[in-house]
Amino acid sequence: MTLRRVNVIILVLLAVAFLIVVQRNLLNLSDFLHKENSDVGMILPFESELSPDLKLQLVRRGDAIPVVITAVEDRLGAVVAAMNSVYQNSKANVVFTVVTLNDTVSHLKEWLSDIRLKHVKYRIAVFNPDLLSGKISQDPQILEATKPLTFARYYLPAYIPEAEKAIYLDDDVIVQGDIQELFETSLRPGHAAAFSDDCDSASSKGIIRGAGTQNNYLGFLDFKKEAIKTLGMRANTCSFNPGVIVVNLTEWKNQNITQQLEHWMELNTKEDLYSKTLAESIITPPLLIVFYKRHSIVDPMWHVRHLGSTGAGNRYSAQFVKAAKLLHWNGHYKPWGRVSSFSDVWDKWFIDDPTGKFHPVRRHSGDR
């Protein structure tokens, strides 16, 4: 056998060996891709660009962040917009607990089945209005403010008993920051909750029509009543807004916060402890009493409020509103109504009701 023929045979054998190695590597790569994507319907990496919702779902890692929000039937559009803003602006593993009444459940589920929300994790808790029996005033002048779900935040541990920490949000908010940052708000030892003070730089001294200056305890409680005087609280103490709460649920349960709040609710029905200038804030006085000098502070940029109050929201510049991490339209003028400040910001997160029952008044009436 000539040397030339030997060289040819060696080259052929090397080529065969190379092809075998390449084939095995390709088979191993195929098995790897199958295993890596078996839990997401075998979506290959290059296909993720075609599935942005799935991509968002895949990057959500870490422990669950419980967010509690209430859903009143005639305000479901607000709930959906708030949830959408939280979900789209965070990569955190957010799990919503939506507290509602029986007659709202089916409507809520249908709305949340929208393709833009189909990956949102949520569970529905049905509130029992009987919990409030004998605890709230039957004064017809404030019945609107005594809707059962207004008090749902008093019972937070009941909805998520397995959680140690959670966030409560009012429905008339839009979240523009990453909710993970709010969740990481530091609570001092022994504190069951954190709120934004009404004397903070972002929302200080809000003038609310019909209520006067409500940035201190005097705006919410009647300091002439003996039950209030004996507590030794200072009337000029800065109040807080309970539309955004970061909660240490372990401390809440250990300190029997729910029972304390119920005590002051019941006592008010007998002794009328709330300030006569109070405006749509009947859930706030018991919280002010129970958490007097016993609460931590939420960053004011995580609760920029008064956007629904007469003239108050207009004092914010467009640049400030854009920089805010959470916007709250507390007050009479809601962004889905005829008139409110910065309703265009809220519109960005609203998703049309598939049933057609809810619609922003501005759009429906042509007032936009």
Side-chain angles (χ1 to χ4, degrees):
M1 184 180 292
T2 66
L3 180 60
R4 183 176 182 180
R5 181 174 292 182
V6 170
N7 288 338
V8 170
I9 293 173
I10 291 173
L11 287 173
V12 171
L13 291 174
L14 288 173
V16 171
F18 175 78
L19 290 174
I20 291 173
V21 170
V22 169
Q23 182 186 28
R24 287 181 176 176
N25 285 340
L26 287 173
L27 288 173
N28 289 338
L29 177 61
S30 176
D31 289 341
F32 172 76
L33 291 175
H34 180 272
K35 291 176 182 177
E36 285 295 298
N37 295 282
S38 60
D39 62 335
V40 293
M42 295 179 65
I43 301 296
L44 300 179
F46 57 82
E47 292 180 307
S48 65
E49 293 301 317
L50 302 176
S51 308
D53 290 333
L54 180 59
K55 185 176 180 182
L56 282 171
Q57 184 186 37
L58 291 176
V59 298
R60 293 175 187 269
R61 296 288 185 260
D63 295 336
I65 294 180
V67 176
V68 180
I69 190 168
T70 57
V72 180
E73 176 67 27
D74 59 1
R75 293 166 61 121
L76 276 189
V79 178
V80 171
M83 292 176 66
N84 188 33
S85 71
V86 171
Y87 180 76
Q88 300 296 347
N89 285 313
S90 177
K91 293 182 180 180
N93 182 22
V94 180
V95 180
F96 292 96
T97 296
V98 187
V99 185
T100 189
L101 300 177
N102 269 320
D103 57 3
T104 304
V105 173
S106 60
H107 187 187
L108 177 63
K109 285 183 176 179
E110 186 169 359
W111 209 333
L112 291 177
S113 67
D114 184 280
I115 189 170
R116 286 161 289 185
L117 296 169
K118 66 179 181 179
H119 293 306
V120 172
K121 297 178 182 179
Y122 71 91
R123 55 186 176 185
I124 296 175
V126 177
F127 185 77
N128 181 6
D130 291 342
L131 286 171
L132 304 176
S133 179
K135 299 183 180 73
I136 56 176
S137 171
Q138 297 303 308
D139 185 344
Q141 293 184 352
I142 59 173
L143 281 180
E144 179 65 20
T146 58
K147 288 184 176 180
L149 290 177
T150 307
F151 299 91
R153 74 201 81 190
Y154 286 6
Y155 301 90
L156 290 172
Y159 316 130
I160 38 178
E162 74 286 357
E164 296 182 359
K165 190 176 184 181
I167 295 170
Y168 168 84
L169 298 176
D170 272 356
D171 59 5
D172 52 351
V173 305
I174 289 296
V175 174
Q176 300 185 133
D178 188 339
I179 200 75
Q180 177 86 42
E181 182 182 333
L182 178 61
F183 186 71
E184 291 174 354
T185 296
S186 178
L187 275 71
R188 294 175 60 184
H191 286 182
F195 307 89
S196 275
D197 278 347
D198 282 328
C199 301
D200 62 44
S201 59
S203 304
S204 63
K205 298 181 175 63
I207 305 299
I208 303 175
R209 178 174 291 178
T213 302
Q214 285 198 325
N215 66 335
N216 57 38
Y217 273 48
L218 185 61
F220 293 90
L221 296 164
D222 187 349
F223 278 79
K224 295 178 181 178
K225 297 297 175 67
E226 192 63 28
I228 300 299
K229 286 195 292 186
T230 56
L231 293 174
M233 301 184 300
R234 295 175 63 90
N236 63 352
T237 300
C238 187
S239 58
F240 53 76
N241 185 296
V244 175
I245 315 174
V246 181
V247 187
N248 180 328
L249 292 164
T250 302
E251 284 291 345
W252 190 290
K253 288 181 283 190
N254 288 343
Q255 297 178 30
N256 296 316
I257 297 296
T258 296
Q259 289 75 15
Q260 292 187 56
L261 293 169
E262 288 182 326
H263 165 75
W264 289 104
M265 290 168 67
E266 293 176 11
L267 193 60
N268 179 64
T269 63
K270 303 170 184 175
E271 301 186 21
D272 197 16
L273 303 177
Y274 303 164
S275 170
K276 297 304 181 183
T277 62
L278 193 62
E280 65 168 355
S281 299
I282 63 170
I283 50 93
T284 303
L287 289 163
L288 292 177
I289 295 171
V290 173
F291 288 103
Y292 178 71
K293 295 189 175 181
R294 294 176 58 206
H295 68 276
S296 297
I297 304 300
V298 168
D299 183 332
M301 292 303 285
W302 268 105
H303 196 179
V304 174
R305 48 205 179 277
H306 302 311
L307 273 73
S309 302
T310 306
N314 293 329
R315 71 176 180 269
Y316 301 134
S317 69
Q319 292 78 12
F320 177 76
V321 168
K322 184 177 181 180
K325 296 177 180 180
L326 184 147
L327 301 169
H328 188 185
W329 279 265
N330 59 310
H332 293 292
Y333 302 98
K334 304 302 182 184
W336 57 89
R338 294 185 184 278
V339 180
S340 87
S341 302
F342 301 102
S343 56
D344 58 317
V345 177
W346 184 87
D347 283 344
K348 290 192 300 185
W349 304 104
F350 175 68
I351 295 174
D352 288 327
D353 183 0
T355 71
K357 296 176 184 177
F358 180 97
H359 49 75
V361 176
R362 290 171 287 107
R363 295 180 182 180
H364 186 71
S365 64
D367 292 340
R368 247 185 120 177

